[in-house]
Amino acid sequence: KDDTKKEIMKYYWTSLHTTLANYPSLPTLHERNTLYHYVISSASLFPCGDCSIVSQKLMRKYPPQIGSRKSALTWGCKIHRKFNEEFNLTVPTCDDIAASYIIGS
Amino acid sequence: KDDTKKEIMKYYWTSLHTTLANYPSLPTLHERNTLYHYVISSASLFPCGDCSIVSQKLMRKYPPQIGSRKSALTWGCKIHRKFNEEFNLTVPTCDDIAASYIIGS
Ligand SMILES: Cc1cc2nc3c(=O)[nH]c(=O)nc-3n(C[C@H](O)[C@H](O)[C@H](O)COP(=O)(O)OP(=O)(O)OC[C@H]3O[C@@H](n4cnc5c(N)ncnc54)[C@H](O)[C@@H]3O)c2cc1C
Ligand SMILES: Cc1cc2nc3c(=O)[nH]c(=O)nc-3n(C[C@H](O)[C@H](O)[C@H](O)COP(=O)(O)OP(=O)(O)OC[C@H]3O[C@@H](n4cnc5c(N)ncnc54)[C@H](O)[C@@H]3O)c2cc1C
């Protein structure tokens, strides 16, 4: 049960950070809207109940930064760190996140 | 390069099918909207260029079925199969997909 939750988190964060790492540096208005909807809806649909509640709460407090790849990645790191704090998990640095959760980097 | 793409696909499909498996049996209108936005935006943001083009094309042809968990899972299986056909990859059955891409089942 706990392993399932850990694996769900691993998939969630890998998908999110890998998506942010491939987001355009200079996104169009349409691309910004798409990223915004994607991250907000991914939090509601997080396939683990308390993960979903915590990530929705964090996204209300720290809204998705969709202005550029750089700001999106920085925001993704912040959200992941705050999330791990809430669950008393090891809090990774942004470099740890880039190394462990971005496929192909 | 090819391994990166394979791994990106694995993360994409695992996140999608696991999300669908945890979607409500009787979703509210709000939940339907959220799933619809999630899957449409996930296709645009698929962090692999030709995967993104193919999945967007498939989602135009086979729109997300968001009426229930059952119809969403059936739709997810169909999209995955059509996607693999386009990339000349082994086409899994819906049972293969449930066994390999749904965490915790
Ligand atoms: C449909 C939708 C709904 C949204 N709803 C909300 C909401 O309810 N609340 C909310 O807060 N946000 C919301 N957002 C997000 C919001 O629009 C922006 O992402 C966010 O406010 C910052 O975007 P930005 O374009 O200013 O780019 P940023 O991401 O802020 O800027 C890009 C980069 O430039 C840098 N930068 C920006 N300005 C300067 C400056 N003056 N000097 C030096 N560097 C600078 C930043 O540090 C960043 O690294 C929403 C977005 C969408 C698409
Ligand atoms: C914002 C938004 C935009 C959308 N845009 C589009 C679009 O452009 N094009 C598009 O095609 N769809 C679109 N959809 C999706 C569409 O609304 C529905 O998902 C889809 O048409 C079927 O939904 P349904 O509620 O009828 O449920 P379904 O998923 O069809 O029904 C649930 C289950 O009941 C079964 N069932 C349904 N009716 C019967 C019946 N009469 N007898 C026996 N079994 C039955 C189904 O087989 C299924 O297993 C959109 C959805 C949203 C939220």
Side-chain angles (χ1 to χ4, degrees):
Chain A
K1 204 84 186 56
D2 240 36
D3 281 358
T4 299
K5 199 164 151 179
K6 282 248 159 68
E7 207 184 344
I8 284 177
M9 289 178 184
K10 185 188 83 172
Y11 275 83
Y12 182 84
W13 293 116
T14 305
S15 297
L16 183 68
H17 297 301
T18 303
T19 297
L20 300 180
N22 286 278
Y23 183 65
S25 306
L26 293 172
T28 61
L29 192 58
H30 183 73
E31 287 164 337
R32 291 169 186 232
N33 262 295
T34 303
L35 185 65
Y36 190 84
H37 282 304
Y38 175 74
V39 293
I40 293 290
S41 58
S42 76
S44 307
L45 295 164
F46 207 137
C48 142
D50 48 348
C51 308
S52 175
I53 289 165
V54 166
S55 59
Q56 288 183 68
K57 189 190 71 179
L58 290 173
M59 287 191 194
R60 273 194 297 276
K61 192 158 174 199
Y62 308 104
Q65 296 303 301
I66 42 67
S68 65
R69 178 186 305 166
K70 189 161 172 286
S71 55
L73 276 167
T74 305
W75 170 83
C77 171
K78 180 159 77 184
I79 285 283
H80 191 155
R81 288 168 56 85
K82 299 280 178 193
F83 180 96
N84 280 19
E85 275 170 25
E86 298 254 356
F87 284 101
N88 290 311
L89 300 168
T90 314
V91 177
T93 65
C94 294
D95 286 344
D96 294 337
I97 288 175
S100 302
Y101 295 94
I102 296 178
I103 302 169
S105 71
Chain B
K1 205 83 186 56
D2 241 35
D3 281 358
T4 298
K5 198 164 152 180
K6 283 248 158 69
E7 206 184 344
I8 285 177
M9 288 178 184
K10 185 187 84 174
Y11 274 83
Y12 182 84
W13 294 116
T14 305
S15 298
L16 182 70
H17 297 301
T18 303
T19 298
L20 300 180
N22 286 277
Y23 182 64
S25 305
L26 292 172
T28 62
L29 192 57
H30 182 74
E31 288 164 338
R32 290 169 188 234
N33 262 295
T34 303
L35 186 66
Y36 190 83
H37 281 306
Y38 175 74
V39 294
I40 294 290
S41 57
S42 76
S44 307
L45 295 164
F46 207 137
C48 142
D50 48 348
C51 308
S52 175
I53 288 164
V54 166
S55 59
Q56 289 182 67
K57 189 190 72 178
L58 290 172
M59 288 191 193
R60 273 193 297 276
K61 192 157 174 201
Y62 308 103
Q65 297 303 302
I66 42 68
S68 65
R69 178 187 304 164
K70 189 161 172 287
S71 55
L73 277 167
T74 305
W75 170 83
C77 170
K78 179 160 76 183
I79 285 283
H80 192 155
R81 288 168 57 85
K82 298 282 178 193
F83 180 96
N84 280 19
E85 274 170 25
E86 297 254 357
F87 284 100
N88 290 311
L89 299 168
T90 314
V91 177
T93 66
C94 294
D95 285 345
D96 295 336
I97 288 175
S100 304
Y101 295 95
I102 296 178
I103 301 170
S105 72

